[in-house]
RNA sequence: GCGGAUGUGGCGGAAUUGGUAGACGCGCUAGACUUAGGAUCUAGUGUCGAGAGACGUGGGGGUUCGAGUCCCUUCAUCCGCACCA
């Protein structure tokens, strides 16, 4: 019998499906292992060969763990809400649910062909009401909780109300929006609306006027991680800053725990570093600067209180609320002009223009609290309203931005730190500031002679004792803006009474997404849900018109997989206690600052309120690399329908044109297929080299527009799923990005055929029951040792090469002994399940190879 | 600018702890079997050299009996962050 993957693969896929081979249940007699893939957004383009890379790796690991005796949870589902389906709906009028369903079906067909061991009984789709019920439920919990900075955890709003009634809010240290201080009496005197308004400042899911990233093109606000370089990540549309009343999640309250948690998880250093940067902790002091001739004072944040003696001016963000008030009449005009100019600049211009120095003097002076010197107050847009307090003390000698500013506007510069081995010099002659965090203090009265570290400590104590300010920790991490002015997302379980938001009772969930006539904003600028009929509660209160963002549904999906059909809870205690957390999470690094922060936050919140037992959701995380496209080019001679082969193109004046990689094989163009590709090439002529048309190539993103998308179905049709799986892994380390290049796929395919021939010669099964000899035992034991090792460290490419070596050796030894081939087959089944199952049965086994036990090796054969 | 990663044959990549650099595969060369093969098998394949041998892991320097691996320095590419006070 020849190796016929096209017969074998569908046969066993059907068999596994029939026998529910991949169905898993809680089983307290066996240890659990949870392997999770980041679930895909089902786009209209279907899967390309890059998508399954991570799925194959996690599938191998799942199968391996199963053979090692673990009860493996390995689910899959769909992140089904999202902009592309909605944009498509706007263009075509097609309901996004319909396109999403079609796309999911296509994804499923493609995934099924690859032979994954997913337990599809546990499939979730984020747009399914039974699923998003729990997204809405979590939102309600966040609405009903506040974050206590003292205990560092979420606590019920009801407890907060009790405290307000008893003592007002003075003794409360909460992560909250700015709120006035009130007594118990003042609280009780507030009417319902005023109380609700106050509580809103404390809720973890809260509604507030916030500066948001507004994307006019998409008609919605975007979260920080959805914006890059001033344009939307999806679509690349310009984004502007705008104040809007929006739902936000108080992610920033969890900044410290999100940071600390990173030390407990087994993720790559680079990914942890990205998260640390995003959280952006900095330790320093907030210091009050009195104003000359004003009652107000300005609070600034600095990480270098030691340089206070070198603060020679102050700078405020143009949007700072005090700017207008303290600007003197003679500078008013200038300041107004600057504020307007700065306000009109969008994020993109500001970033692009970062090097030019702009700013104006307000005419006002602050008092340096430590020297009591009068220092001028400027406004400039290099100071951001969104970080710290929106005002800084400028220490030009030791901060490069302040230095550039001082030079430009001829402001005084005082050196207060001198580097080890250096002498004090005149800053007027400096080319650049001395930003170093080491050195000795000079010109600094109280702290002269101290090194920087000690000086920071000393001066901070001094500031605190004199009540000039206090030690302070700042984070870059912002609260997540949670409203989207879009249709295709989870509706908020929120209604409005007297303009105040209230959440629905849990028994009203799910609040299903209503039908609308069009997926566009209403005429008066309301989100699409404004078009829904009867979008009110039973007693007539209007429901929220915004929907939730993409990351809502993906924040707790790993929990839902544990118990996906539970109607009474997101996850039962029993299931949660058994499955606990994700042991291995595989996905792309592009989710480093979005999903992976949000879902950690979400999980920590659920942990706080006692709904889940683990503080961190993803124990180990592997980032699979991206598979880039390898584009091919033909070279058209300008003005002619004639194409010159790659090696000869220099002799002509040519235009490179992308050509569909599916009609190119090893860079050789199928000229006939090219003529048929598109009408304009019908009469194409070619200038060949060595009788062939050689294409040029480039590594680019895999995308339709570059004609470099390779679909896994085509590979499967030609070589089979086992070859595809093997080849994707053989390409190199999973974490590494690499271009897809089919060259070399024959090698792994040949390997499978060779493996097959250890069992079959022509039509005859040639395996024997003979006892293996020393050499054969050495070969198999070494292989068992190596494969186990390699899988444990996710080195699948070297594992495959070990398989190849083993098969080559057995081939040389003419070994067809069952005792050797069976353990080999068991190991290979994680990588190439179909051929392994076929040969496992050919060898006389009746149960599935998937449940076989991973072989053990004997040390004595390893030498 | 800051942070992280990566540089090894014609190509993808091995070398897990400082111990024979280039495993495995592709490609290429020669041969066998074949009506034919884009099937299969055998041998060869880092570079220079007829050979002995010399040189070789981006470049330069160092530690070591011994360095792809450790240290310093420099260059290149990729990724992330970027007026974060």
């Amino acid at each position: 019998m020849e190796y016929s993957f096209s017969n074998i693969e569908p046969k066993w896929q059907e068999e596994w499906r029939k026998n529910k081979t991949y169905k898993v249940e809680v089983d307290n007699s066996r240890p659990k292992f949870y392997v999770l893939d980041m679930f895909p957004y089902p786009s209209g383009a279907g899967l390309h060969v890059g998508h399954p890379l991570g799925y194959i790796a996690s599938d191998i690991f799942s199968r391996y763990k199963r053979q090692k005796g673990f009860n493996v949870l390995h689910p899959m589902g769909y992140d089904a809400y999202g902009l592309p389906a909605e944009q498509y709906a706007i263009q075509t009028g097609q309901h996004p649910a319909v396109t999403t369903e079609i796309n999911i079906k296509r994804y499923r067909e493609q995934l099924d062909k690859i032979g994954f061991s997913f337990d599809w009984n546990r499939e979730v789709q984020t747009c399914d009401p039974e699923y998003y019920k729990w997204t809405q439920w979590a939102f309600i919990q966040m609405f009903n909780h506040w974050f206590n900075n003292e205990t560092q955890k979420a606590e019920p709003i009801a407890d907060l109300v009790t405290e307000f009634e008893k003592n007002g809010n003075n003794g409360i240290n909460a992560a909250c929006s700015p709120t006035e201080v009130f007594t118990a009496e003042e609280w009780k005197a507030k009417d319902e609306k005023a109380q609700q308004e106050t509580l809103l400042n404390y809720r973890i899911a809260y509604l507030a006027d916030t500066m948001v990233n507004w994307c006019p093109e998409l008609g919605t606000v975007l979260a920080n991680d959805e914006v890059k370089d001033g344009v939307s990540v999806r679509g690349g549309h310009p984004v502007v800053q705008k104040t809007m009343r929006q739902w936000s999640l108080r992610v920033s309250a969890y900044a410290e725990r999100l940071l600390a948690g990173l030390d407990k998880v087994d993720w790559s250093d680079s990914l942890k570093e990205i998260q640390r940067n995003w959280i952006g902790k900095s330790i320093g002091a907030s210091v009050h600067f009195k104003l000359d001739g004003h009652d107000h004072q300005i609070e600034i944040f600095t990480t270098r209180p030691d340089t206070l003696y070198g603060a020679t001016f102050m700078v405020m963000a143009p949007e700072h609320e005090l700017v207008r008030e303290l600007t003197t009449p003679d500078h008013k005009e200038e300041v107004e002009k600057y504020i307007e100019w700065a306000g009109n600049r969008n994020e993109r211009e500001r970033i692009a223009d970062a090097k030019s120095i702009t700013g104006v003097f307000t005419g006002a002076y602050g008092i340096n609290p430590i020297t009591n010197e009068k220092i001028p107050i400027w406004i400039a847009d290099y100071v951001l309203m969104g970080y710290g307090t929106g005002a800084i003390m400028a220490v030009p000698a030791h901060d490069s931005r302040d230095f550039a500013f001082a030079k430009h506007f001829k402001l005084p510069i005082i050196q207060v730190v001198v580097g080890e081995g250096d002498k004090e010099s005149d800053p007027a002659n400096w080319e650049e500031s001395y930003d170093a965090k080491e050195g000795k203090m000079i010109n600094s009265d109280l702290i002269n002679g101290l090194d920087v570290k000690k000086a920071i400590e000393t001066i901070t104590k001094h500031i605190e004792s004199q009540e000039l300010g206090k030690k302070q920790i700042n984070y870059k991490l912002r609260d997540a803006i949670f409203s989207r002015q879009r249709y295709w997302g989870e509706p908020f379980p929120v209604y409005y009474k007297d303009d105040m938001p209230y959440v629905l009772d849990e028994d009203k969930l799910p609040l299903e997404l209503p039908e609308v006539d069009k997926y566009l904003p209403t005429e008066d600028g309301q989100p699409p849900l404004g078009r829904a009929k009867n979008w009110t509660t039973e007693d007539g209160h209007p429901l929220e018109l915004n929907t939730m963002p993409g990351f809502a549904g993906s924040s707790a999906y790993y929990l839902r997989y544990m118990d996906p059909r539970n109607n009474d809870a997101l996850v039962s205690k029993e299931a949660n206690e058994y499955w606990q957390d994700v042991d291995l999470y595989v996905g792309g690094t592009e989710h480093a600052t979005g999903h992976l922060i949000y879902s950690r936050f979400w999980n920590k919140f659920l942990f706080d309120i006692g709904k889940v037992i683990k503080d961190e959701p993803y124990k180990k995380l592997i980032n699979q690399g991206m598979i880039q496209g390898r584009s091919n080019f033909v070279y058209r001679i300008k003005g002619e329908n004639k194409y010159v082969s790659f090696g000869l193109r220099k002799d002509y004046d040519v235009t490179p044109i992308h050509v569909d990689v599916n009609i190119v094989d090893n860079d050789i163009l199928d000229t006939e297929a090219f003529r048929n590709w598109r009408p304009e090439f019908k009469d194409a002529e070619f200038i060949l080299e060595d009788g062939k048309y050689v294409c040029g190539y480039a590594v680019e993103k895999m995308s339709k527009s570059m004609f470099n998308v390779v679909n896994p179905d085509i590979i499967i049709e030609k070589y089979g799923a086992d070859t595809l799986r093997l080849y994707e892994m053989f390409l190199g380390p999973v974490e590494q990005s690499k271009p897809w290049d089919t060259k070399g796929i024959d090698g792994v395919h040949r390997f499978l055929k060779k493996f097959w021939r250890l069992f079959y010669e022509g039509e005859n099964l040639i395996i024997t029951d003979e006892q293996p000899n020393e050499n054969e035992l050495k070969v198999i034991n070494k292989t068992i040792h190596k494969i186990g090792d390699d899988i444990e460290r996710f080195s699948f490419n070297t594992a495959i090469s070990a398989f190849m070596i083993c098969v080559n050796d057995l081939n040389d030894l003419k070994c067809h002994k069952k005792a050797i081939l069976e353990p080999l087959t068991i190991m290979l089944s994680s990588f190439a399940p179909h051929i392994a199952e076929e040969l496992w049965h050919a060898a006389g086994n009746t149960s599935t190879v998937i449940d076989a036990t991973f072989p053990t090796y004997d040390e004595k054969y390893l030498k």
Side-chain angles (χ1 to χ4, degrees):
Chain A
M1 213 159 63
E2 278 301 304
Y3 170 45
S4 168
F5 55 83
S6 50
N7 290 330
I8 291 172
E9 293 182 352
K11 180 175 91 187
W12 289 111
Q13 283 165 11
E14 176 60 20
E15 199 68 16
W16 295 326
R17 200 188 54 76
K18 249 179 25 209
N19 297 332
K20 299 188 168 57
T21 307
Y22 301 125
K23 191 168 159 56
V24 283
E25 303 282 2
V26 167
D27 174 0
N28 285 303
S29 70
R30 279 189 298 162
K32 69 97 187 187
F33 200 87
Y34 188 175
V35 179
L36 181 63
D37 295 286
M38 290 187 187
F39 62 172
Y41 174 78
S43 85
L47 287 175
H48 63 64
V49 288
H51 293 110
L53 184 75
Y55 304 158
I56 295 169
S58 62
D59 197 56
I60 291 168
F61 204 77
S62 302
R63 289 170 179 276
Y64 165 75
K65 276 288 174 184
R66 181 166 174 170
Q67 292 182 333
K68 281 289 217 179
F70 289 86
N71 188 23
V72 179
L73 176 56
H74 187 213
M76 183 49 87
Y78 304 96
D79 187 12
Y81 275 132
L83 284 178
E86 184 166 356
Q87 294 294 74
Y88 187 74
I90 291 168
Q91 285 162 25
T92 62
Q94 175 92 282
H95 197 291
V98 174
T99 37
T100 301
E101 203 191 312
I102 293 171
N103 293 346
I104 285 178
K105 217 175 142 219
R106 171 97 195 280
Y107 264 61
R108 178 62 190 274
E109 279 168 11
Q110 289 185 295
L111 290 170
D112 278 349
K113 278 192 212 162
I114 303 174
F116 291 120
S117 62
F118 298 129
D119 177 3
W120 285 105
N121 295 301
R122 291 173 182 264
E123 172 182 349
V124 299
Q125 301 182 3
T126 55
C127 65
D128 175 357
E130 286 309 307
Y131 177 86
Y132 66 67
K133 172 179 174 180
W134 299 103
T135 312
Q136 293 173 332
W137 168 84
F139 178 86
I140 291 174
Q141 309 310 311
M142 290 183 197
F143 183 86
N144 287 329
H145 285 81
W146 63 289
F147 190 85
N148 186 341
N149 282 333
E150 297 299 330
T151 58
Q152 277 288 303
K153 60 182 281 218
E155 295 178 7
I157 282 281
D159 294 359
L160 188 68
V161 172
T162 313
E163 176 65 17
F164 287 171
E165 282 165 356
K166 259 197 270 176
N167 302 312
N169 70 347
N170 206 8
I172 303 254
N173 180 5
C176 62
S177 316
T179 311
E180 86 283 15
V181 177
F182 52 82
T183 62
E185 285 62 43
E186 285 167 329
W187 169 256
K188 286 180 220 158
K190 285 175 193 271
D191 61 14
E192 159 84 10
K193 183 174 178 178
Q195 287 190 342
Q196 285 300 320
E197 190 134 36
T198 302
L199 287 176
L200 219 35
N201 292 336
Y202 287 85
R203 300 182 188 279
I204 286 177
Y206 65 98
L207 190 60
D209 292 314
T210 30
M211 196 61 98
V212 299
N213 305 302
W214 172 255
C215 180
E217 199 77 23
L218 293 172
T220 188
V221 303
L222 297 169
N224 286 343
D225 68 282
E226 293 170 321
V227 180
K228 218 191 132 189
D229 299 332
V231 298
S232 65
V233 172
R234 274 203 194 262
H237 308 295
V239 168
V240 294
Q241 299 297 302
K242 190 174 166 181
T243 304
M244 284 176 76
R245 197 159 172 82
Q246 298 286 298
W247 286 104
S248 294
L249 303 184
R250 217 174 286 284
V251 180
S252 62
Y254 283 83
E256 187 57 41
R257 281 172 59 192
L258 288 169
L259 185 66
L262 290 174
D263 295 333
K264 293 192 288 187
V265 294
D266 182 7
W267 298 9
S268 73
D269 288 338
S270 71
L271 188 66
K272 286 190 193 182
E273 208 48 40
I274 291 172
Q275 289 221 339
R276 286 195 190 102
N277 285 339
W278 191 258
I279 295 167
K281 178 179 185 173
S282 50
I283 302 170
S286 73
V287 186
H288 313 301
F289 278 62
K290 291 211 173 77
L291 297 178
D292 189 37
H294 273 272
D295 292 339
H296 289 297
Q297 47 183 22
I298 298 177
E299 200 185 331
I300 61 101
F301 174 72
T302 178
T303 54
R304 294 294 300 276
D306 58 311
T307 61
L308 209 42
Y309 289 92
T312 53
F313 59 100
M314 298 175 75
V315 188
M316 297 167 77
E319 314 94 291
H320 197 289
E321 51 180 13
L322 283 178
V323 168
R324 283 194 167 86
E325 201 171 325
L326 53 81
T327 299
T328 57
D330 48 325
H331 287 90
K332 196 170 165 51
E333 198 181 326
E334 238 186 316
V335 166
E336 286 297 337
K337 245 170 64 189
Y338 186 79
I339 293 174
E340 203 197 317
W341 173 81
N344 283 337
R345 294 221 300 171
N346 68 33
E347 198 66 0
R348 211 172 176 188
E349 288 165 350
R350 213 179 55 78
I351 291 165
D353 201 23
K355 276 181 214 92
S356 70
I357 296 160
T358 65
V360 293
F361 179 44
T362 60
Y365 289 86
I367 311 284
N368 183 325
I370 201 127
T371 62
N372 286 316
E373 301 260 344
K374 257 173 72 171
I375 56 176
I377 301 173
W378 288 64
I379 59 169
D381 71 349
Y382 84 88
V383 173
L384 306 174
M385 198 55 228
Y387 183 76
T389 61
I392 62 154
M393 65 172 198
V395 184
H398 306 292
D399 180 286
S400 50
R401 296 151 305 175
D402 297 344
F403 183 84
F405 196 81
K407 279 265 178 183
H408 191 259
F409 291 108
K410 309 211 165 32
L411 294 161
I413 305 172
I414 301 172
Q415 183 179 11
V416 291
V417 186
V418 60
E420 192 69 38
D422 286 343
K423 280 201 190 102
E424 182 179 357
S425 58
D426 183 1
N429 302 326
W430 290 5
E431 287 294 313
E432 54 187 8
S433 61
Y434 178 65
D435 290 9
K437 294 184 172 96
E438 279 152 25
K440 292 241 179 304
M441 306 310 299
I442 53 168
N443 299 322
S444 295
D445 198 11
L446 280 174
I447 48 174
N448 271 331
L450 298 180
D451 66 45
V452 167
K453 217 177 138 203
K454 188 81 190 139
I456 291 175
E457 215 173 283
T458 311
I459 200 77
T460 306
K461 276 193 193 128
H462 177 76
I463 288 167
E464 287 188 331
S465 70
Q466 300 297 303
E467 293 185 10
L468 303 171
K470 59 176 198 304
K471 184 173 175 183
Q472 168 116 18
I473 295 169
N474 248 320
Y475 301 91
K476 278 196 271 184
L477 185 67
R478 300 269 74 100
D479 288 345
I481 293 165
F482 204 60
S483 302
R484 296 293 180 272
Q485 293 67 43
R486 303 288 298 199
Y487 174 72
W488 192 229
E490 299 87 347
F492 281 83
V494 167
Y495 64 94
Y496 289 86
K497 197 166 81 188
D498 201 12
D499 275 342
M500 276 296 124
Y502 293 84
V503 288
L504 298 177
D505 287 340
E506 286 179 26
D507 61 17
K508 293 279 187 301
L509 300 183
L511 174 64
E512 294 201 25
L513 187 64
E515 294 301 318
V516 293
D517 58 344
K518 264 191 236 169
Y519 306 100
L520 289 169
T522 62
E523 272 66 44
D524 52 352
Q526 298 278 22
L529 291 195
R531 296 174 176 276
K533 293 204 179 77
N534 306 321
W535 189 236
T536 61
T537 59
E538 282 158 20
D539 37 5
H541 296 299
L543 288 161
E544 169 74 53
L545 299 182
N546 288 297
T547 53
M548 297 186 194
F551 64 82
S554 56
S555 289
Y557 75 119
Y558 65 97
L559 288 167
R560 191 62 183 162
Y561 281 136
M562 295 176 184
D563 194 9
R565 306 291 168 250
N566 190 330
N567 267 322
D568 307 316
L570 168 63
V571 51
S572 71
K573 266 245 128 30
E574 189 208 4
N576 187 229
E577 263 161 21
Y578 182 69
W579 297 112
Q580 306 232 348
D581 52 4
V582 176
D583 295 281
L584 174 67
Y585 197 22
V586 179
T589 179
E590 67 271 20
H591 297 108
T593 52
H595 164 64
L596 286 173
I597 292 262
Y598 297 130
S599 68
R600 289 181 63 220
F601 152 77
W602 201 284
N603 186 76
K604 282 179 190 300
F605 170 75
L606 294 177
F607 174 77
D608 285 355
I609 66 170
K611 300 294 180 186
V612 303
I613 61 163
K614 285 283 184 167
D615 184 33
E616 282 291 339
Y618 314 117
K619 219 184 279 173
K620 181 176 177 70
L621 186 141
I622 296 229
N623 284 122
Q624 95 265 21
M626 252 197 318
I627 294 217
Q628 294 132 321
R630 189 178 183 281
S631 313
N632 277 114
F633 298 94
V634 292
Y635 300 90
R636 182 170 62 200
I637 298 173
K638 281 189 181 153
E640 296 181 58
N641 198 5
K642 210 170 193 178
Y643 301 82
V644 55
S645 184
F646 180 74
L648 308 170
R649 73 194 190 287
K650 293 254 152 56
D651 303 337
Y652 302 85
D653 187 14
V654 296
T655 317
I657 299 171
H658 274 99
V659 59
D660 188 343
V661 294
N662 294 300
I663 58 172
V664 178
D665 187 26
N666 274 332
D667 290 339
I668 308 297
L669 180 71
D670 180 340
T671 50
E672 213 32 59
F674 180 73
R675 286 202 180 99
N676 293 328
W677 184 36
R678 305 173 129 205
E680 69 258 41
F681 302 132
K682 208 178 98 210
D683 303 313
E685 291 173 56
F686 304 95
I687 300 174
L688 308 175
E689 49 184 319
D690 302 331
K692 290 183 258 184
Y693 189 97
V694 181
C695 296
Y697 70 90
V699 173
E700 296 172 301
K701 212 183 134 186
M702 199 171 273
S703 93
K704 265 184 176 172
S705 62
M706 316 249 192
F707 300 109
N708 60 6
V709 175
V710 182
N711 185 305
D713 310 70
I714 292 180
I715 306 288
I716 290 172
E717 205 175 301
K718 202 164 162 199
Y719 295 97
D722 286 336
T723 299
L724 173 75
R725 292 169 61 107
L726 235 33
Y727 186 57
E728 292 223 4
M729 291 299 101
F730 191 59
L731 232 31
V734 224
E735 299 94 327
Q736 222 165 78
S737 289
K738 52 230 150 191
W740 177 262
D741 190 348
T742 335
K743 173 171 104 184
I745 196 166
D746 293 310
V748 289
H749 190 63
R750 224 169 281 165
F751 156 72
L752 286 178
K753 285 202 250 182
K754 246 187 209 174
F755 177 63
W756 182 269
R757 285 199 303 268
L758 290 175
F759 289 76
Y760 281 103
E761 191 173 79
E763 292 302 308
N764 305 321
L765 195 61
I766 51 170
I767 49 176
T768 71
D769 288 320
E770 272 175 89
Q771 284 301 308
N773 62 35
E774 179 86 7
N775 276 337
E776 291 161 346
L777 285 169
K778 267 190 178 170
V779 168
I780 193 66
N781 276 279
K782 272 187 189 157
T783 305
I784 294 168
H785 174 75
K786 172 88 173 137
I787 299 290
D789 240 38
D790 284 354
I791 295 177
E792 291 284 353
R793 57 190 183 97
F794 304 96
S795 180
F796 303 119
N797 55 330
T798 54
I800 292 168
S801 99
F803 279 125
M804 290 174 168
I805 292 168
C806 179
V807 166
N808 287 343
D809 287 349
L810 295 179
N811 202 35
D812 291 345
L813 294 169
K814 301 205 169 24
C815 170
H816 305 288
K817 297 171 186 167
K818 237 172 155 176
I820 300 293
L821 294 180
E822 277 191 347
L824 181 60
T825 305
I826 293 170
M827 291 191 289
L828 188 67
S829 73
S830 296
F831 293 76
H834 310 89
I835 190 174
E837 187 79 297
E838 177 71 21
L839 293 175
W840 177 251
H841 281 78
N845 294 287
T846 47
S847 62
T848 174
V849 70
I850 292 151
D851 277 326
T853 301
F854 195 88
T856 50
Y857 58 87
D858 189 334
E859 288 280 352
K860 75 179 176 197
Y861 294 113
L862 293 190
K863 297 227 188 73

